[in-house]
Amino acid sequence: MISLEQAHALALECRGRAYCRYSGFAVGAAIKPYGEERLFGGCNVENASYGATICAERAAVFSMVSAMGRREIEYVVVATDADPLAVPCAACLQVLAEFSRPDTMVYIADSEAVRHEYRFEELLPYPFTLKQV
Ligand code: ZN
């Protein structure tokens, strides 16, 4: 059974691969889908054309969907070494909203441990939604 510690370890591993030559702000993320014994990781990948940059959280979501299709997210771990620790940006929260429940957990970690935890609805109480076809 996958543990939060394993997810934290994957987030750190991914953070170590972050391509952040412009900001120096390395982020790793790991996502655990509900009902699956798998984790999906992501890191931020920056670009000289800054707008083409992708955050770790979105990279992890896209990895999950690319591998398994639509799944609901049980939790996401985001690892930085920032002070204060960073929560997902608004763009990532909107992308996470597409695959999250109100009770999906968002764990914010540093190199040592998870330091903060939030229910998704605390971070984005009113996500933008469209009727699905
Ligand atoms: Zn982001």
Side-chain angles (χ1 to χ4, degrees), residues 57-58 76 87-100 106 119-125 127-128:
E57 300 92 320
R58 278 178 284 156
V76 56
V87 295
C89 77
C92 286
L93 288 173
Q94 180 59 39
V95 169
L96 286 164
E98 193 79 22
F99 306 97
S100 294
V106 180
R119 289 167 54 93
F120 185 79
E121 65 185 352
E122 294 179 271
L123 297 176
L124 187 62
F128 175 75

Side-chain angles (χ1 to χ4, degrees), residues 4 9 16 31 33 37 46 48 57 65 71 73 128 131:
L4 183 58
I31 284 176
E37 291 303 313
E46 295 183 348
E57 300 92 320
V65 175
R71 291 291 187 280
I73 297 170
F128 175 75
K131 183 179 176 190

Side-chain angles (χ1 to χ4, degrees), residues 55-123:
C55 302
E57 300 92 320
R58 278 178 284 156
V61 169
F62 298 161
S63 175
M64 175 188 77
V65 175
S66 296
M68 302 191 78
R70 186 183 192 287
R71 291 291 187 280
E72 287 189 315
I73 297 170
E74 182 177 346
Y75 61 79
V76 56
V77 178
V78 181
T80 70
D81 57 2
D83 183 17
L85 291 172
V87 295
C89 77
C92 286
L93 288 173
Q94 180 59 39
V95 169
L96 286 164
E98 193 79 22
F99 306 97
S100 294
R101 301 177 184 179
D103 64 348
T104 291
M105 294 303 297
V106 180
Y107 297 105
I108 307 300
D110 60 17
S111 296
E112 305 301 320
V114 169
R115 302 296 184 185
H116 306 285
E117 59 181 73
Y118 303 95
R119 289 167 54 93
F120 185 79
E121 65 185 352
E122 294 179 271
L123 297 176

Side-chain angles (χ1 to χ4, degrees), residues 20-68:
C20 55
R21 64 190 301 182
Y22 303 104
S23 72
F25 189 75
V27 184
I31 284 176
K32 161 97 172 44
Y34 275 105
E36 303 289 345
E37 291 303 313
R38 292 181 67 176
L39 294 169
F40 295 92
C43 65
N44 52 326
V45 181
E46 295 183 348
N47 191 276
S49 176
Y50 290 177
T53 293
I54 187 169
C55 302
E57 300 92 320
R58 278 178 284 156
V61 169
F62 298 161
S63 175
M64 175 188 77
V65 175
S66 296
M68 302 191 78

